[in-house]
Every structure is written in C-alpha cells, then in structure tokens.
Amino acid sequence: MSDTRKPRHRRRRTTLTAVAALTAGTLAYGTDGGLFGADAQSSAAAATAAWASDTADGFASVNSLGQNGTYGGRGGQTVTVRTLADLEKYATASEPYVIVVAGTINMDPVGKEIKVASDKTIIGSGTSGHIVGGGFFLGQGVHNVIIRNLTIRDSYQGIWNDKDHDYDAVQMDGAHHVWIDHNDLRHMADGLIDVRKDSTNVTVSWNRMSNNNKTFGIGWTENVLTDITIHHNWIRETEQRNPSTDNCAHAHLYNNYLEDTAGTDITSSYGNYSRGRTSMLLENSYFQGFRNPVIKDSTASLVQRGNVFSGTSGRNESGGRAFDPKTYYAYTLDQASEVPSLLKSQAGPRSTLGTTAALSAAATLTVAKNGSAQFSTIQAAVNAVPANNTTRTVISIAPGTYRETVKVPSNKPHITFQGTGASRKDTEIVYNNAAGTPKPDGSGTYGTSGSATVAVEADGFQARNLTITNDFDEAANQSLSGHQAVALRTAADKVFLDSLIINGDQDTLLLDTAAKDKPGRVYVTNSYVTGNVDFVFGRATAVIDRSVLTLKKRWNGTSAGYLTAPSTAANRKGFLITRSAVNGDVSAASFYLGRPWHAGGDATLDPQTTVRDTTLSAAVKSTPWTDMSGFSWKDDRFAEYNNTGPGAGPASPDRPILTPTQAADQEITDWLSDWTPTAS
C-alpha cells in the first residue's frame, strides 16, 4: 500500500530563505575529483521537499543550551551519497548539510561509527538508505542532528551479550538536540541506541527496534540532566533496556509498542526501566507478551497513565510524582488500543521521506496479498512495467507469502523488488517446481533453469529485504526424474541482491548470463543462501560478499554436497566468495566448496571459484574441491585465500592457496570492473 498517511506530531516551519534560494539551481552531478566526488550529488530540488523543513518534537524541540529546537542541516547544502567515503566526508564536515543516503553503505571496518558533527540531517532516500555493519557517534557538544529514515543493521558479531564489541546504531556521549526518527534499527553488536554522558534534549520517535539484546540505554552518569522523549516506537524481539533510563531528569515515554512473541529465540528480560533518580512519565503504551513490562528502582519516580498490558507477566510497577511534559512542549496522545496497528503500518522508514521527483525518477508499484495495494501478485506488477523502460521501477511488496512464479523479462530492465516488512523473513516468494516437474500444458518438464521460483532476465535488476524459496519436496517425489529446484535464476548483467534469504536444496541459486558471450555480473551482499548440491552455480561473474552460505542435509538426512558449481567461460571471472561464512548443521568434513561444471560437456569452459577472507565451519572437507562429470578441478580455477575457522587449512597440492600477489588480483573490483553496485 502506498504511504499516504503523514506521521503525527510534526511541527513544520516555513522554509528558510537560504534554502528557498537553492531551488533556482538544478541537479549537479560531481565527477571524479569534483566538488561532490564520484558518488555524491548535490540537489537543490531536494531542499523544497516537505521533509526538508521538518523539525523535531518532544524535548528535542525545546530551546536550551543556546540551541533553538532541532532542525538538523536545514539551510545547508543537500547532497546525495552512495559510498562510505562521501557519507563520512559530509557527516563530519563543519558546515551544515542535508545528507541523503541513496543506497546500501557497508561500514569498513565492521563496527565503524561515523563521528557526526553538528548541524546535520542524515536521511535515507525512501526505503533505500541502509547502513550495514556500523553506525553513528555524536560526541561531546555535538548538537542539532537529525538521523532519519535509515535502516541501520547487522554489526552483530555472534555473541549475544557482547562485552567486547561496542557497535551501536547511534551512540551519544554528551550531545544535545538530537532527533532519531522513522529508522529501522536491528541486529547490532551492542545497543541500538545509547544516550550517555549527560546527552539531553533528545527525541526518539516512530522507529522500529528489533532483533537485539540491548535496545536502548540512557544515562550512565551520576548527574540528573538528561531530558528525553520516546514516542511511537515499535520495540520487538529484544531482551533488555527497552529502554533503561538511568538518572534522567525527565523521561517522557508514550504511545510505544513493546512486543515479545512467544516461541521465538529472543525472550524479554524487562521492558521500560526507571533507574536511579529518574523521573519517568509513561503514557498510552501497549505491552504485549513482555516479562516484567515496567520496573523501577526505589529511588526513581515512575507514573503510569492509560497503558495496556496483554499477556505480560512479572513486575509492573509505579510510584512517585510525575512531571508535566506540557510545561515543555505540546503533544497529542493516540489511544493505547490503537498503538499496535498504528506502529505496524507507520513506524520505520517511509517511502515519502528523503525523496523528491528530482532526486528519484523511480516509479513505485505496490503489491499486497490482501488486495489493499495496486496488485495482489508480483507478476502482475512486473507485467505492468512498460517494455524497454529507461528509468527504475520499484515494486514494493507488502509482508506475506506469495506462492507464485515470477519472471522479469529481458525487455524490462531497472526493476527493484523491495520487501517492506521489518525483516527479510516477512515477505516470501515461494514455489515448488523442479527440473522433472511436468508442465501443465503437457509440453514436457520444466528443466533446471525453468524450475526457478523467480527468474530474472533483465539488466539492472535489484532485490532487497525478502525471501525467495523453492520448497520442492524431494522426499515425497523420489519417482520424479530431475530434483534440481532453483529458487532464483539470474541471466542478466548488473544484478544487485541485498538482504535476501534464498532457500532451496539442490541448485538453489543459478547465476547465469543471457548467452555465453554476454556479460552477467551479479553482486550479492548481506544475504543468506541455503542448499546442499551445487547450490550456487552458473556461468555469471558473481561476488557473494558479507553473506552466510548455509549447508543443509539431503532429503534422506545424510550430509554430503557441494557449495558451488561454476561453468565460467574462458577469460571471464567466475564466483568470488569473500568476507562471508560457510556453515550449517551437517556432519564434519562432508561438503566440498565446489566442483567444475562443464555444461553440456563443453571443454572450452574454465570454471572458477575463489573463496577468501571467509570463515569455514568444520563441515568443509580438508580437500575442498572435487571433479565433476569427467572434468578435473585441477584443470580449472579453484583457490582460497586467508580463510579462517575449523574448515580452513594449509596449502597443499589438493588445496591451492593464493599468494598475496595473486590475491591482489582477485578483489571485488576485479570481478565487477567498472560497475559499482548502488541501491536505487
């Protein structure tokens, strides 16, 4: 469903003259060495968008400490960034900027926190702005900062109560006048938000916070100075600090939704916590399934009004005297009973924020199973895209299970599939064709490539935040000839796959090209791919970066299989797996990393897989490559470099390891050449 309802509680001001003056300009695209860098653009038109003049509500709107409210980089130049270098350049600059993040930016190294300077707005362009593997730090005295409409995720290092990796989404140490609004914050190594060392005049609103141990900590000082407003946030599947407020002068929490779903891996320890000498007012929030939903220290004040508790247990406390927030700012309460539905539809990144027609020429088509969108099937939305389109079309897919096959034909380039759920698990495209499945029209069977749940034949395709599955049941179809069952097939160039789950067994992910002499570059990042036999295969030039390749047992419970089966043409690059993990619940030393697929017995092919800088579980064989159909792997290109974990091993004639010199020629840029994948 398109986003037509505007968030409540927004105080808008007329655009400043300095900003209005910018509208006389047009989009200016920087070149190498130019003013904005290769991947940043300056946009005067963006400054006229309504969101550019939005200002904070709550305590962030209060005049204090020499700062009159929170309006971020308004009045400064608007730039669009797509790289870490450009984001850091503008976020740390001394002058004001409105920084539009128009794509996925991976923090390097993992855990990096950009030190944001005062007078900045950092906003995602629609739902495309993702910060992966790190976040932002606001130090002493930094003020007037807006962090808005971003997805900040995935710095998690595999340790649940992580004491060694302080990798927050947003950390403040002595900052003031900060507004954190409409973000999706999840799966970080420590807290999602830390408001520390007397940071004050902070408002946190309309965010999704999920899949984390420590959600939101405030305080860690003996002083009682922090003023903070926390409203309309959806906090779910988190354990502690939801939030924890320590020695806050005034903590106003209202219209938040705290949800703990039974049967999941994460169980709540407690919900809202008033600690030390905090004065907390908690109004019209909704607690579902939480243990110890509201707790307080004996020294703290906590006054409750109008909250709803459903399926909660344990401590639910209050006591002391409340302050009156309306002596500081105006606000309006929503009914507590309406909070879950309101936040499920309105919290998190919005397609209407951070974009203008000038910034994004992308059209958006919407899909929802329940008929509330333009289309009820994904294929119908693809069919509606004009043939030979020259600009991007985003197909926005609401949460749900879409049991259908989808084909993106070659004459419909520049299409993006965007799942709109809080998790990539929320939106799933699934079907169960196999190579040997008879076609309904009696014209034979589908064959391997025809079995794909999603088939992409158009250049410039992108997909993010969804699951693609082939759930063909091998055990129930042993009589069927041909058990290859593809979840996703790509046969196109410049394909960008981000934050996906790609599920299957045999031949899960087919990375192909339109023809043997055609290029077919694919970049897969921040994704999960599961399977057991040749489950990443094909002749494409493909990079799998910062992802997890999960090995599965066969249909009969045995552990044996092959990760890759490249069929690379001579003088082309094959598969590069880098900065990833290979694991799974299978027997030790039972899986090969790959074998050479000479499709059709073509001896001219030169299959290639390189696995580097990757963690290998004990499931990987000590001799990780093997022959296929009479072709020796030693005659083709299979190698490793700098891998770790119990499945890694020393160089030997049966385990080629690249030298540092050789490895320098097998980097991501060597694979992708002049193409830099950017979300759009």
Side-chain angles (χ1 to χ4, degrees), residues 465-608:
N465 197 41
L466 49 84
T467 295
I468 301 173
T469 298
N470 191 315
D471 64 352
F472 171 69
D473 188 343
E474 285 190 82
N477 289 279
Q478 281 299 292
S479 62
L480 202 66
S481 176
H483 287 187
Q484 300 89 342
V486 177
L488 172 62
R489 174 174 71 92
T490 68
D493 192 32
K494 298 183 179 179
V495 174
F496 184 17
L497 309 174
D498 178 26
S499 299
L500 303 184
I501 299 173
I502 306 171
N503 282 324
D505 288 314
Q506 183 174 351
D507 293 13
T508 303
L509 177 59
L510 172 50
L511 303 173
D512 209 350
T513 67
K516 186 176 177 181
D517 61 343
K518 297 286 188 181
R521 288 166 291 180
V522 181
Y523 181 66
V524 183
T525 187
N526 302 307
S527 294
Y528 294 82
V529 186
T530 67
N532 47 42
V533 176
D534 304 332
F535 66 94
V536 179
F537 72 113
R539 65 187 173 201
T541 296
V543 175
I544 298 177
D545 183 26
R546 300 180 188 271
S547 294
V548 177
L549 300 153
T550 301
L551 312 173
K552 294 174 61 177
K553 291 181 179 179
R554 304 294 300 277
W555 65 272
N556 58 3
T558 60
S559 294
Y562 317 87
L563 199 167
T564 67
S567 58
T568 322
N571 302 315
R572 290 259 175 100
K573 296 289 189 183
F575 296 157
L576 174 64
I577 298 172
T578 180
R579 301 185 292 187
S580 295
V582 178
N583 59 30
D585 184 16
V586 295
S587 300
S590 60
F591 271 76
Y592 292 98
L593 290 177
R595 57 181 181 168
W597 179 34
H598 285 258
D602 188 347
T604 68
L605 299 179
D606 192 13
Q608 180 183 29

Side-chain angles (χ1 to χ4, degrees), residues 318-462:
S318 60
R321 299 184 63 181
F323 65 97
D324 183 2
K326 290 186 177 178
T327 64
Y328 300 94
Y329 53 83
Y331 69 101
T332 302
L333 291 170
D334 287 306
Q335 291 294 321
S337 59
E338 298 177 359
V339 163
S341 60
L342 176 65
L343 296 192
K344 285 180 178 180
S345 64
Q346 296 296 315
R350 303 282 84 193
S351 61
T352 53
L353 295 175
T355 59
T356 67
L359 268 178
S360 175
T364 299
L365 304 177
T366 58
V367 180
K369 288 288 293 182
N370 63 7
S372 61
Q374 294 168 287
F375 304 95
S376 59
T377 69
I378 300 163
Q379 188 62 59
V382 172
N383 295 343
V385 177
N388 303 309
N389 50 302
T390 59
T391 58
R392 183 156 299 278
T393 297
V394 176
I395 297 179
S396 180
I397 309 169
T401 299
Y402 297 82
R403 182 160 283 277
E404 59 176 301
T405 58
V406 181
K407 181 178 179 179
V408 181
S410 60
N411 66 345
K412 295 190 177 185
H414 316 303
I415 286 177
T416 295
F417 286 1
Q418 173 73 54
T420 63
S423 164
R424 59 192 121 198
K425 296 179 182 179
D426 292 346
T427 304
E428 182 178 26
I429 312 170
V430 57
Y431 214 74
N432 62 348
N433 285 332
T437 301
K439 293 182 179 179
D441 62 4
S443 61
T445 59
Y446 283 102
T448 299
S449 62
S451 70
T453 299
V454 175
V456 175
E457 299 177 353
D459 291 346
F461 176 83
Q462 299 186 6

Side-chain angles (χ1 to χ4, degrees), residues 255-259 283-288 307-310 336-340:
N255 285 145
N256 298 297
Y257 177 33
L258 277 68
E259 179 186 20
E283 299 183 285
N284 285 33
S285 290
Y286 196 109
F287 297 81
Q288 182 170 332
N307 301 303
V308 171
F309 300 90
S310 174
S337 59
E338 298 177 359
V339 163

